[in-house]
Amino acid sequence: MLIRNACLCLAGSLLALGALAASVNPYADHNGKLPPADYTGPLFRLSYNYPAGLPAPYMPWRAAIGNGAITTATAPAYTQALKDSIARDMATLLTDYEDWNAAQRGRYNDPWLGAQREPVHGMLVGIEKVDNTLFPKSGLSKPFTTYVLTYYNRTAAQTLGKIWSGNPNAPVLDGGATQYAEGSITVKLAFTTADPATWPAMEGALAWPMMMTANATTGHNDRPKLDKAYLMQVDIVVKDTRSAPQTGWVFTTLVYDKDTRPGSAGVWDQMVPLGAQWGNDPQANSALNPGAALQETWVNPNAPVYALETLGWGGRLSGPNDHALNDISVAGEGGRVLTRNAANSSCLSCHGAAQWNAANPKQGMASFFMPLAAPGEGAAANAGAPYMNSPAPGSVEWLRWFQNRAGNVPMDTGSIPGDYDLALTFRVLPAWHEAMTGKEHALRKLDAAGKAQK
């Protein structure tokens, strides 16, 4: 009788879950809060007809470095070749939006984020408030909000199809479904609400209209309002185990440079390399030896000043949109030591935490994407406010985030590895879980706590 009652309860729960899922469209374009009538431009359309069975693409970035492993000496050529490979599509997306058709160009988006997207370009809030104290050398006078948009190429979109195309209400995460094929590329655009009057570094930057729910520069929040944001950063990330055999990925970052003249590709020519990263340099303990040379990060010394102000731990790659400087709290003998704007992350260390605990989807990621104390208690238990409770920089616990792992190896035993796709494990799966349960996900609460520190 107990078993029968339990089965009936489970059946009832599944029916209720199915009804809830049926009421939510995983492929919704945006939240429906349209711009005012005087906006006559195109609107965002989600690209989700994911392909399958494609051959491996030609990879000119490999050829640019002689088909060997990337090094700090060859990283500039690699970064330039990767940038050139997407130049035509990016020029159209950025400056000829009326002619942009993502599906025709083989560019795809994640599902389940429609409630978070604004309708003009499909942008998501990246960081709600970036403090102006992070940029003392470049004249930022007010905080700003960042808005981000990600596109996957055809090769990468095959993985999205494996996860979501069978039944978007029941993603497939096991059997290697989350692993990306060689030549998979994601492109992430980041815009800032800081205009040129607020931040001289943005003088002449491309401005996009969007329906903003948050604007730390003007102080506007919640009610959507049509306003402009300025192109600040573009990340191009590629799965390339030949060039980066230890992690399988190369992360490159471009930033806007007002002092670079636009050429035939327009503003795309003004997006200059900040650098590249293909490993976490685990041999370099940058707390014990702050000047330790990095062998798996290249930073362009000629990048604009503002972009060099927010590099990650020990100078590892991190752009102004990447949240690598945070207020941290470390336990000490005389009490907690509080440090403002401490470098505690980097591109690869952050994405290396991409994983999902299927046995505990309410928690999702067993470790947060930057060092937090006592990760064994679960990421949601570790949010410190207004400072992040952190392990001591350079400690064994801290260094868990700065290891080189293949994308099919999770950071925490028992989790499904996300192959460095933090968007999947930190944004998309929590949004799916919220749609299934009708409850805010623990990672969203943790992220809000982290953002509140600034």
Side-chain angles (χ1 to χ4, degrees):
M1 178 65 90
L2 290 175
I3 294 175
R4 180 175 179 275
N5 287 341
C7 291
L8 288 173
C9 290
L10 176 60
S13 298
L14 291 174
L15 286 173
L17 186 63
L20 178 62
S23 67
V24 180
N25 177 7
Y27 299 121
D29 292 321
H30 50 71
N31 59 18
K33 297 175 182 177
L34 299 176
D38 58 358
Y39 174 79
T40 58
L43 298 176
F44 175 75
R45 290 291 177 266
L46 193 80
S47 177
Y48 61 90
N49 290 318
Y50 308 125
L54 300 179
Y58 173 62
M59 298 178 232
W61 46 90
R62 284 181 174 177
I65 63 169
N67 294 308
I70 188 172
T71 66
T72 54
T74 60
Y78 188 100
T79 303
Q80 186 62 48
L82 193 58
K83 177 189 176 185
D84 291 345
S85 73
I86 64 170
R88 182 177 298 180
D89 284 354
M90 290 302 103
T92 300
L93 170 62
L94 294 172
T95 61
D96 194 11
Y97 194 48
E98 290 189 358
D99 287 337
W100 174 252
N101 186 315
Q104 287 182 359
R105 290 178 175 271
R107 303 289 170 180
Y108 301 87
N109 311 107
D110 284 305
W112 287 113
L113 299 177
Q116 301 176 40
R117 294 188 187 275
E118 60 84 34
V120 178
H121 288 94
M123 305 288 280
L124 307 164
V125 173
I127 305 176
E128 289 182 4
K129 185 179 180 182
V130 179
D131 200 276
N132 49 297
T133 61
L134 294 176
F135 300 93
K137 299 178 182 178
S138 54
L140 178 65
S141 59
K142 298 178 183 178
F144 62 79
T145 298
T146 64
Y147 282 82
V148 298
L149 173 64
T150 299
Y151 281 103
Y152 299 78
N153 72 349
R154 289 185 178 92
T155 305
Q158 295 176 108
T159 296
L160 301 185
K162 290 178 183 177
I163 295 171
W164 300 108
S165 291
N167 178 359
N169 294 329
V172 176
L173 301 175
D174 57 4
T178 60
Q179 300 300 296
Y180 285 88
E182 296 290 305
S184 293
I185 292 178
T186 62
V187 181
K188 181 179 179 181
L189 312 176
F191 286 69
T192 173
T193 58
D195 60 12
T198 302
W199 201 7
M202 291 299 108
E203 179 185 346
L206 173 72
W208 263 8
M210 60 188 71
M211 289 292 287
M212 296 181 183
T213 52
N215 187 333
T217 307
T218 64
H220 173 85
N221 284 287
D222 298 327
R223 182 175 53 84
K225 180 181 178 182
L226 188 66
D227 212 333
K228 290 181 179 179
Y230 301 82
L231 180 62
M232 174 182 66
Q233 178 176 328
V234 177
D235 298 319
I236 313 172
V237 182
V238 60
K239 180 69 171 286
D240 184 353
T241 56
R242 178 182 295 176
S243 301
Q246 292 200 56
T247 65
W249 289 90
V250 179
F251 282 63
T252 68
T253 296
L254 311 176
V255 289
Y256 172 70
D257 183 11
K258 67 182 179 62
D259 295 323
T260 295
R261 287 189 174 186
S264 59
V267 70
W268 190 243
D269 293 320
Q270 295 180 280
M271 302 305 296
V272 303
L274 171 60
Q277 186 181 20
W278 52 98
N280 280 303
D281 278 289
Q283 83 291 340
N285 189 323
S286 300
L288 299 179
N289 183 6
L294 301 178
Q295 301 172 6
E296 296 170 331
T297 280
W298 165 71
V299 173
N300 177 11
N302 298 315
V305 169
Y306 79 91
L308 296 170
E309 294 186 273
T310 53
L311 292 176
W313 187 51
R316 290 164 177 81
L317 182 66
S318 181
N321 176 61
D322 296 335
H323 220 324
L325 304 181
N326 296 277
D327 299 344
I328 67 171
S329 168
V330 177
E333 292 183 4
R336 302 201 73 85
V337 177
L338 308 180
T339 304
R340 285 270 289 164
N341 297 335
N344 70 336
S345 189
S346 72
C347 293
L348 243 102
S349 68
C350 181
H351 282 256
Q355 57 187 353
W356 188 256
N357 190 335
N360 188 3
K362 183 179 179 180
Q363 178 196 60
M365 289 170 56
S367 294
F368 195 45
F369 56 73
M370 59 185 69
L372 286 179
E377 297 174 10
N382 299 317
Y387 287 70
M388 290 184 176
N389 293 336
S390 172
S395 64
V396 172
E397 184 56 37
W398 171 283
L399 292 174
R400 288 198 323 120
W401 276 264
F402 294 92
Q403 300 302 310
N404 287 343
R405 290 180 294 273
N408 61 359
V409 177
M411 183 173 176
D412 293 281
T413 302
S415 292
I416 296 169
D419 202 6
Y420 286 83
D421 185 1
L422 195 63
L424 171 67
T425 62
F426 186 70
R427 275 196 185 270
V428 183
L429 286 172
W432 159 76
H433 190 262
E434 287 183 0
M436 296 297 101
T437 63
K439 297 179 181 179
E440 185 181 23
H441 194 272
L443 284 171
R444 292 278 287 273
K445 295 178 181 178
L446 177 61
D447 190 37
K451 289 173 179 176
Q453 68 166 313
K454 294 293 183 185

